[in-house]
Each structure stands twice: as structure tokens, then as C-alpha cells.
Amino acid sequence: RGYQAHPEVSVSVLAMLRWLLASWLLYAQAMDSPVCPAGDDHCDVESMHMLQMKKGARQKGKASAAEGPQRRRGGAEWTKDEALTVMSKLHRVFDSPLTVFKAFYPPGTHYDCKTGFHQPLDEPCDGKEGRSDSNVADDWLPTAPKFLRLGFHDCLKYEDGTGGCDGCLEFTDMFDRYNDLASGDKKSMSRPDIMMSTNNNLAFSADVLEKLYTDHDWPKDAPSLKVSLKDSGKSRADLWAFAAFVAAHYGMDQQNKACRGETDDEMAGKCGNLHQATNLTFPCEITLKRGFKFFTGRVDCPETDKPTEPHWHRARVYETVRLERTPNPHGNGAMITRYFKEDFNFTRREVVAIMGAHSMGKFHGIAGLFKYDWTRGQVHILNNQYYRILSAAPSKMVTCGDVPRFTGGPKGALAPTGWFVRPLRKTVSGGPFEWFHYYKRCPECVDGVNVETEGDGQFRRNECCRQCATLSAAEVDPSCYTKVTKDETAIPADTGLYYAFGVGTGGMPFGCSGFGEGRYQWDVENFITDGLQNTVDFYTTEPQCKKNAMDDGEGTLKMYEVVEFFANDQNQWADEFVPVMEKMMANGYADGELTESFDFTGIQCDKGFWFKCY
């Protein structure tokens, strides 16, 4: 990296240095050595590319011409009435995602699906012998977070650097269902390492949008268009982008309604609002300086990019055979920000801002092996909770129910929080490596009765309820006030925004004092190769990483400081999130190519006989 300080170094020498670095990384990977130290802004792009080379020839089918995009005229502009009508339709879908799924796939019919315990996945999703059942659809449901994710994935660049928001998806892993219970062993470590993202789980949400795109009167219990979006010349890509904006607008609206004790979402109502329950210093409700602006004119991918050979799954008009460049979920801060710089032209601060979308939604282990929620009990809400969790801000644990519970420290105090890193031991290198958010807290108690489901027997005693209600933190028995995790997690690409760590083979983290000078890596590797008993407790490995001190790319703050800034100023985050999302949804288009068609500022949606947005 020394050439950064010497601009007189020639291009040829620079190229040689990069070639040498790439060669060393390939050697390091082959030798199971760490490959990407924390903060190395040049190592990350090389290693990220090589760690994803196993994508290989993932192309399914053949295109008659797969060389580069073929631009056509973009989608027609939308009227305000059309936008409000489609917004109302999407709110109906958000309100009843399971009903929508069953309408597409009634009993006796099956969604596209392939499953199995080993690669490649080629067993039927018949629910037999522990295999997945294609009628179990929680992770397929067309929820608001799913449409937000679809919008991002649609705007990925292709491997040749072209593309962007074009209404098409690559179908690698699209219908895969990962089973773990082979021979009763959930930790068989037989799957390939997860070093890339995929579009798995997004097809049904795209199916729903295709129905809305082609049928002016669907869904039946929502307002109708005079003519379908397709017949009026709108592009599929514009609809997908609009759905993503509606989902984000919906998530922020759910935050504000929850702050007022209202909600359109039954589950959100059962989980309450954590901001309100913890009496934070900033306003609970989000007040934007301006709403999202929706631009039209995106171009759908051409027919020549679509498969011409039959597939085992039902053909979709939005499938492309072109390979997409995807971020590495195990990447650290340097790697994830380098990816977004190259493919979206984001500054590091903009990367931190857009990642707040993860406050809304959840993991699905059966689809991607990572599991649980980014924000437990708050998955239907878009707010700044993501940053409060990343920065280990004091908080309370949410338990959903007819009466939501918020559990913290003694006498109702906020609980100190932090992170454990656990190898889930499902892949050949022991991964995926997932971060688990812990709360140093008291047990859950109802009317003095301990109803806790986590921790050991000592933690579940009723005596702990009595002590936590009456004694100070210094006086409570340590067995009643301890670090506990419960289904709240993050991937390294999230935590790398705040913490500095390296990324080794298979995504294994290194470079933090809590990993014990390589002891963590040694234990994982020996457990994999020899089945040896580990000396590090995989369940409670607290990494104790330093904070990510890379600058934010705008010359104002360090990356960890941006996270903390957003954690303590929700409106500032929201005001920065809006233009960054607009930038994301225009990826691949030059200034002036898209036309402003709709402004979300001041738009409201009410639930009556049907949703009406105005």
C-alpha cells in the first residue's frame, strides 16, 4: 500500500504491485491464512473478487446475445393518480402477504423449490424425511421489507460493470431451501462458504409485482387503474423502484404510528415500539425535511439477456442469464464500502446511511444460513434502531405478545449491550460467522414469576425476579444479571461499519483482542479438520474489536462516529437516507436520464374497506 504516498509511481509499477498482492492473496487463501486485514482499502477489492470466484459458470440457459446491455426507450411517466393507486395496491399486499401467497398457490399446488442436505440441492420440497415443504412460505411472503430488498437487488451491476436498475434478476440460488437436520446433526459443515449474496427468496415478490404490472384490477380489494401499467407504457424497472420507495415510506410510517400507539400491522402492534419504551433523548417520530422523490424512465433488460433454454422452474419474464456482482456478507468495513463505491458511487457515509434499511426485515436461515432478526420484534419498522444495536447502545430486549414486554437491568434500567461472534458451523470453513447481540439483563418476569426461556437454571429462578425488582445492579446476584442473547443478530458487513476486524478464509474474522491471538481461528480450524475439543467458548466469544476509524469519505467523521451520530439522531439519519436511496434506485443512469414523476412528501395512507393513499 506504500504507493499511496508516492504519486510518482508509474502505472506499470502500480499494476505490478496489484498483481503481486493478488498472487499473495491467492496463496494465503490456499494456505488457510488470513487474507484481508481490517482497514486495508486495497486488499478488500482483490480478496472480495477472488473469494467470489467460486461463482464460476453459474449461468443457467443461454442468451442469444449476452454481451453488454442494449438500451431501449425508458418507461413512460406516471401520473399522480397512478402512483397513489399503485401505492394503495401495495399497502393491501403489505397488509395481507399470506393471503396473497395462498391466492397464487392454493392448497395442492406448489411454489418452485429445491432442497437437500448437500450441494447441489436437488431433492423435492415435499416435507418428508426432514426436507423443506414448499407450502411453508414464511420467507417467501411479499412483505414490505422484501420489496425494499428487491429494489436494491434489482439495481446491482453486472459482472462486466454495466447494468443497474433494469427490472431483472439473476436466478442463482433463487429457489434453494437449505436443510440442516441430516442425521440429527445441525452442524455438518458440508456446505460451501458464503462469500457472496444472491437473490434467493425474491422471485415471489417479483411475481406479485408482475401481476400488479399486467392486471389493472388486481388485487380485487384495492383501487383499480384505468389501464395496466404495462399497457400504458410503464417499465417493470420503474414499478420495482416505486415498490421499494413505498416500502421504505411504509416502514417509517409504521415507526411513527407505533410511537403514537397506533399500527396497521398486527405483529408490530404486538411488539410495541422500543424507542418509546426506552425513553430516548431524541423524538420517537420521524420528521423528514422532504419525502422520497420517484423518477421514471428506467429501462427493462432486453429479451436477449433472458434465458432461451427450459429450466426446472417456471419461466419468468424478469429472469436474466447475465451474472451480477454482489456484496460479500462476510466483508468488513473496507470491503463493503469499496463495493458500494465501485458499483453505486457511494461515499462511506452514504454506505452507513443506506445500511440502515436493515432495521426493517429479518434473516431466513433456510434461504441463506444466517438466521434471526437484525432488530428483534421491530422488523416491520424502519428507524435508526439498527445503529443503536451496532454501536452497543444501552437498551431493552423486546418480547412480543398481547402485552409487549421490554426487559432490561435491575429496577427497569437500560441494559448494557455488546456482541458475541459465533461460527454456525454449517459450511466447510465453520461458517457462516454471525454476530449475536447480547443484553446484560435480568430475566423476563411477569407479576414476579420468572418466564425466561434463555440462560441457565440459576437465571430462571423466581428469586431473580425479586432481586431485580428491588436491588441495585451492584447488589443483584450475578447469576440473575448476566449477558444473554436472544435472536438478534447481524452479519459482518453490518458490524464492519462500526468495528475494525480482518476477514480470513471462509469469512472467519480475526484481528480483535477477544479472538486471543489466533486462538479462535485455531479452534475453528481444528474442530473442522480433526473434531478436536475447542478451548474457546464459541457461544460467548466477545470479539472486543477496536472501532472502525476509516474516514467517512466526506472529510467530517470516522465511520464509527457516523454510526453513533445516526444512533443518537434519528431524523438526521432519515434525512440522509432519503437521497441515498434515491441515488441507489437510479444506479446505472446518468443525470437527466430519469424524470421526476411523484413526490412522497405529505402522502398518507389509511386503512378502511381498502387502503387509500392520498
Side-chain angles (χ1 to χ4, degrees):
R1 295 183 62 213
Y3 67 79
Q4 287 184 326
H6 302 282
E8 70 275 9
V9 174
S10 69
V11 174
S12 60
V13 174
L14 177 62
M16 178 62 73
L17 289 172
R18 290 176 66 83
W19 180 85
L20 289 172
L21 175 61
S23 300
W24 175 82
L25 288 168
L26 280 172
Y27 173 78
Q29 186 175 353
M31 297 300 291
D32 286 337
S33 301
V35 296
C36 235
D40 193 326
D41 200 18
H42 288 268
C43 173
D44 71 84
V45 67
E46 301 293 344
S47 63
M48 179 167 59
H49 171 71
M50 288 182 290
L51 289 171
Q52 294 191 28
M53 284 179 63
K54 62 182 65 182
K55 292 167 81 172
R58 293 183 287 122
Q59 185 167 324
K60 300 177 181 178
K62 296 179 180 179
S64 56
E67 296 297 328
Q70 298 183 13
R71 283 284 189 206
R72 299 178 298 165
R73 190 165 57 122
E77 292 185 44
W78 293 34
T79 67
K80 183 176 181 179
D81 285 344
E82 287 174 327
L84 290 172
T85 298
V86 174
M87 192 173 183
S88 301
K89 290 173 177 287
L90 288 167
H91 272 253
R92 171 52 63 197
V93 173
F94 298 164
D95 185 59
S96 307
L98 183 58
T99 299
V100 171
F101 183 86
K102 290 181 177 179
F104 275 70
Y105 295 95
T109 61
H110 296 276
Y111 183 61
D112 293 309
C113 177
K114 56 181 179 177
T115 190
F117 302 108
H118 305 286
Q119 302 298 122
L121 303 183
D122 55 7
E123 297 183 38
C125 295
D126 54 11
K128 299 178 181 178
E129 299 179 5
R131 291 189 292 267
S132 173
D133 185 341
S134 63
N135 285 329
V136 179
D138 175 66
D139 57 310
W140 288 326
L141 297 184
T143 59
K146 196 67 65 66
F147 287 109
L148 187 56
R149 178 178 168 232
L150 175 64
F152 162 58
H153 281 250
D154 179 41
C155 295
L156 299 175
K157 291 287 187 72
Y158 294 111
E159 288 196 333
D160 63 1
T162 63
C165 312
D166 64 357
C168 270
L169 297 172
E170 179 196 340
F171 269 39
T172 298
D173 295 341
M174 179 64 80
F175 305 106
D176 286 357
R177 313 283 285 173
Y178 296 105
N179 291 84
D180 297 321
L181 299 175
S183 303
D185 181 9
K186 296 181 69 174
K187 301 180 177 66
S188 61
M189 297 183 292
S190 62
R191 300 194 182 284
D193 293 320
I194 302 173
M195 304 307 292
M196 64 176 185
S197 307
T198 70
N199 297 321
N200 198 350
N201 266 5
L202 290 176
F204 184 68
S205 294
D207 289 345
V208 169
L209 290 184
E210 190 64 22
K211 180 68 172 175
L212 195 154
Y213 181 60
T214 58
D215 187 342
H216 74 100
D217 199 33
W218 187 88
K220 295 297 183 183
D221 51 354
S224 296
L225 292 164
K226 294 179 180 179
V227 62
S228 73
L229 295 175
K230 181 179 180 180
D231 291 341
S232 61
K234 312 300 190 290
S235 69
R236 181 178 293 107
D238 282 342
L239 172 59
W240 287 17
F242 184 73
F245 283 123
V246 173
H249 179 275
Y250 173 87
M252 290 186 181
D253 189 49
Q254 291 303 306
Q255 162 68 9
N256 291 349
K257 288 182 176 179
C259 291
R260 300 191 297 266
E262 310 165 6
T263 182
D264 293 327
D265 189 291
E266 180 181 357
M267 184 53 66
K270 290 185 175 181
C271 297
N273 184 271
L274 188 59
H275 282 26
Q276 191 177 47
T278 50
N279 297 316
L280 300 178
T281 57
F282 53 82
C284 182
E285 293 195 39
I286 295 173
T287 304
L288 291 171
K289 291 180 179 178
R290 69 167 180 87
F292 297 104
K293 291 183 179 180
F294 169 58
F295 289 73
T296 55
R298 294 170 187 80
V299 182
D300 293 337
C301 69
E303 292 299 317
T304 52
D305 285 355
K306 299 177 182 180
T308 57
E309 294 184 355
H311 298 283
W312 66 269
H313 61 264
R314 178 172 64 81
R316 266 83 167 177
V317 295
Y318 54 82
E319 179 180 1
T320 178
V321 297
R322 299 184 69 196
L323 303 181
E324 295 171 338
R325 292 204 304 226
T326 61
N328 181 352
H330 277 105
N332 57 20
M335 295 168 73
I336 195 67
T337 54
R338 184 60 177 260
Y339 168 81
F340 276 105
K341 174 62 178 178
E342 293 196 337
D343 280 33
F344 289 86
N345 195 30
F346 282 0
T347 66
R348 293 189 185 118
R349 186 184 183 107
E350 288 176 325
V351 176
V352 177
I354 199 66
M355 292 288 278
H358 282 173
S359 69
M360 190 179 181
K362 59 190 297 185
F363 299 103
H364 296 284
I366 199 169
L369 298 185
F370 291 104
K371 55 185 181 178
Y372 304 127
D373 303 343
W374 278 285
T375 57
R376 174 181 162 83
Q378 309 287 286
V379 299
H380 303 281
I381 291 173
L382 183 57
N383 59 17
N384 72 332
Q385 183 61 19
Y386 172 81
Y387 304 101
R388 298 193 61 76
I389 290 174
L390 283 188
S391 59
S395 188
K396 292 185 178 181
M397 189 200 71
V398 181
T399 299
C400 305
D402 292 336
V403 178
R405 295 194 298 272
F406 301 91
T407 306
K411 294 185 176 181
L414 298 182
T417 70
W419 293 96
F420 297 138
V421 179
R422 295 172 182 166
L424 300 189
R425 290 173 281 175
K426 297 175 183 290
T427 71
V428 293
S429 294
F433 297 88
E434 193 163 19
W435 292 57
F436 283 71
H437 189 226
Y438 73 71
Y439 294 76
K440 185 177 181 181
R441 63 174 177 87
C442 292
E444 293 188 73
C445 300
V446 178
D447 296 330
V449 177
N450 195 320
V451 294
E452 183 61 58
T453 59
E454 303 297 321
D456 59 20
Q458 292 292 308
F459 188 62
R460 300 183 188 185
R461 293 175 296 153
N462 286 338
E463 172 63 16
C464 289
C465 295
R466 185 194 68 78
Q467 290 193 28
C468 282
T470 59
L471 303 179
S472 68
E475 297 171 320
V476 171
D477 186 328
S479 67
C480 296
Y481 181 43
T482 189
K483 297 174 181 177
V484 182
T485 65
K486 193 167 185 178
D487 304 348
E488 195 165 66
T489 56
I491 58 177
D494 297 309
T495 53
L497 302 179
Y498 191 73
Y499 299 103
F501 54 86
V503 180
T505 303
M508 189 182 303
F510 69 89
C512 302
S513 62
F515 295 137
E517 297 295 332
R519 172 60 61 180
Y520 180 83
Q521 290 80 11
W522 185 89
D523 271 332
V524 173
E525 291 167 0
N526 278 278
F527 184 88
I528 294 168
T529 57
D530 302 316
L532 299 177
Q533 181 66 36
N534 47 288
T535 58
V536 173
D537 185 351
F538 289 150
Y539 195 74
T540 59
T541 297
E542 194 164 357
Q544 300 174 14
C545 300
K546 295 180 180 179
K547 295 179 181 179
N548 185 344
M550 298 174 71
D551 70 80
D552 67 355
E554 299 183 12
T556 54
L557 299 172
K558 300 183 186 303
M559 282 186 64
Y560 81 87
E561 292 174 328
V562 179
V563 173
E564 292 176 349
F565 183 47
F566 289 157
N568 293 304
D569 193 332
Q570 179 169 251
N571 281 330
Q572 182 64 41
W573 162 72
D575 284 333
E576 294 191 35
F577 178 82
V578 168
V580 177
M581 184 172 175
E582 291 170 348
K583 184 176 178 178
M584 172 172 281
M585 303 314 300
N587 197 33
Y589 298 88
D591 290 344
E593 280 194 87
L594 304 181
T595 303
E596 184 178 341
S597 287
F598 183 71
D599 190 333
F600 282 80
T601 303
I603 299 298
Q604 302 179 55
C605 295
D606 291 336
K607 181 179 181 180
F609 174 72
W610 57 31
F611 276 97
K612 181 175 178 59
C613 299
Y614 55 93

